Amino acid sequence: MDVHPAFPPVRACIFDVDGLLINSEDIYTEIYNKILHSYGKPSLKWTTKALQQSRGKIGHERLISSTSLPLTVAEFQSEVAKHHAPFTNSHPLPGVLTLLQTLSTASPPIHLAMASSTTASFFATKTSHLASLTSYFTPRTCLFRDDEDMQRKKGKPAGDIFLLALERINASLIGADGGREDVQRIRADECLVFEDSIAGVAAGRAAGMRVCWVPHEGLREVCKGLEREVLAGNMDEVEERLLALEADRASIEPEVVGSIGKGKADGTGRVDRLVSEDGRAEMIGSLEKFDYAEYGIRIQD
């Protein structure tokens, strides 16, 4: 088992949804641009979106402020709701179904959960036609920001939603074993979080879990040279640099160097894989590139 020597094998995987499992981030961008254009504003920049993703009301406040939209958050959210129809045509991103199928047949078993900043009803809108994806998850281990238990918790970049997902996984293990309390509970350091947003990476690390960051191409572009800070969960540093970039459009050169804490360039000169200095987080270009052995996950031949 070729697991990283500093960590135990992964026993549970917790997934974000938007932009990680399905292409809904691109749909959001199209909707935001329609709204911006209707008010005579230019298209949304990824420097703005990078600070808005997974942040709920705070993210919308930032988007409105940075684009000078003459709307309140409630008015903006109402405008977005008028354009929900395209979400019914969302689809899984490359590598998602293969990854879920492979994890579902791993031995020892890998327990799966979702932890998303969307609402349960909006998740249904986006995925009701995607049984091939949702069938890998149980309702109890699918957490959304409007979940009753989340009302007493903080959203991303706090780690609360991932820790609550882990609680739900452990509760399901106890229940499946006839209520035995001596079942071997899964620890936070045995969990792997899959995320596409900067705030999501910080949240996974705050929960004490390992993180696999799979950013959108647009996010990768604006984060060139900042990848290590994102993987370390340094939200303040990343936000400061992105705000500066948004203000003056200064270029940030990519860091392309080699193994732990360094990166490996792909054929285009981009950073294809980067691992944080402490080994707790990595960036990959696509879920198609996920390395099961790195996390001690035994897959079926």
Side-chain angles (χ1 to χ4, degrees), residues 3-296:
V3 65
H4 190 290
F7 304 101
V10 163
R11 297 176 60 202
C13 292
I14 306 175
F15 293 84
D16 179 46
V17 177
D18 293 306
L20 188 282
L21 293 180
I22 59 176
N23 69 322
S24 45
E25 280 299 343
D26 286 331
I27 298 174
Y28 273 119
T29 299
E30 292 174 6
I31 292 172
Y32 293 164
N33 283 338
K34 283 182 181 180
I35 295 171
L36 289 166
H37 297 164
S38 72
Y39 286 90
K41 305 296 183 182
S43 295
L44 186 67
K45 300 174 183 176
W46 258 103
T47 45
T48 300
K49 184 156 185 168
L51 298 173
Q52 174 264 327
Q53 285 182 299
S54 300
R55 301 302 304 274
K57 182 180 178 181
I58 292 174
H60 287 154
E61 288 173 344
R62 286 180 170 176
L63 187 153
I64 291 166
S65 175
S66 64
T67 60
S68 300
L69 267 178
L71 298 172
T72 65
V73 170
E75 290 169 339
F76 177 75
Q77 291 172 336
S78 178
E79 288 286 331
V80 172
K82 296 175 184 177
H83 300 279
H84 278 187
F87 287 108
T88 61
N89 295 316
S90 63
H91 58 77
L93 287 167
V96 167
L97 296 182
T98 298
L99 175 64
L100 293 175
Q101 168 62 25
T102 304
L103 291 174
S104 71
T105 59
S107 180
I110 302 297
H111 303 276
L112 306 181
M114 282 185 194
S116 172
S117 298
T118 194
T119 64
S121 61
F122 200 6
F123 171 77
T125 298
K126 299 170 187 175
T127 62
S128 60
H129 59 295
L130 298 177
S132 60
L133 186 157
T134 57
S135 62
Y136 291 104
F137 300 89
T138 63
R140 185 60 180 162
T141 54
C142 291
L143 275 167
F144 307 104
R145 76 163 185 255
D146 59 344
D147 187 281
E148 181 180 357
D149 290 340
M150 277 301 296
Q151 304 317 300
R152 299 180 294 278
K153 307 287 185 180
K154 295 180 180 178
K156 301 173 186 178
D160 294 11
I161 194 167
F162 293 123
L163 290 171
L164 183 54
L166 176 56
E167 286 181 23
R168 298 271 181 92
I169 291 172
N170 279 324
S172 70
L173 289 179
I174 294 170
D177 202 25
R180 285 178 51 195
E181 289 294 334
D182 61 342
V183 66
Q184 187 177 4
R185 296 170 182 265
I186 299 172
R187 304 190 311 268
D189 64 350
E190 296 174 311
C191 293
L192 175 62
V193 167
F194 288 86
E195 266 286 354
D196 69 304
S197 71
I198 294 170
V201 174
R205 291 190 60 104
M209 300 175 182
R210 299 176 72 184
V211 182
C212 181
W213 181 38
V214 193
H216 186 284
E217 276 294 316
L219 185 58
R220 287 183 68 185
E221 185 65 26
V222 299
C223 285
K224 283 180 179 178
L226 291 175
E227 299 97 337
R228 190 178 296 181
E229 297 297 334
V230 174
L231 291 173
N234 294 336
M235 284 283 295
D236 291 343
E237 174 69 16
V238 173
E239 289 188 1
E240 182 180 341
R241 295 279 297 277
L242 286 175
L243 287 170
L245 178 61
E246 185 174 43
D248 61 19
R249 307 304 297 158
S251 62
I252 299 178
E253 295 298 323
E255 186 174 7
V256 186
V257 278
S259 63
I260 297 295
K262 303 179 180 181
K264 181 178 70 176
D266 64 12
T268 67
R270 299 173 308 184
V271 174
D272 184 48
R273 181 171 186 264
L274 188 74
V275 182
S276 63
E277 293 286 356
D278 62 3
R280 283 183 53 202
E282 73 163 333
M283 181 195 78
I284 57 176
S286 166
L287 288 175
E288 296 170 299
K289 301 177 182 294
F290 181 70
D291 184 350
Y292 300 92
E294 175 70 19
Y295 296 94

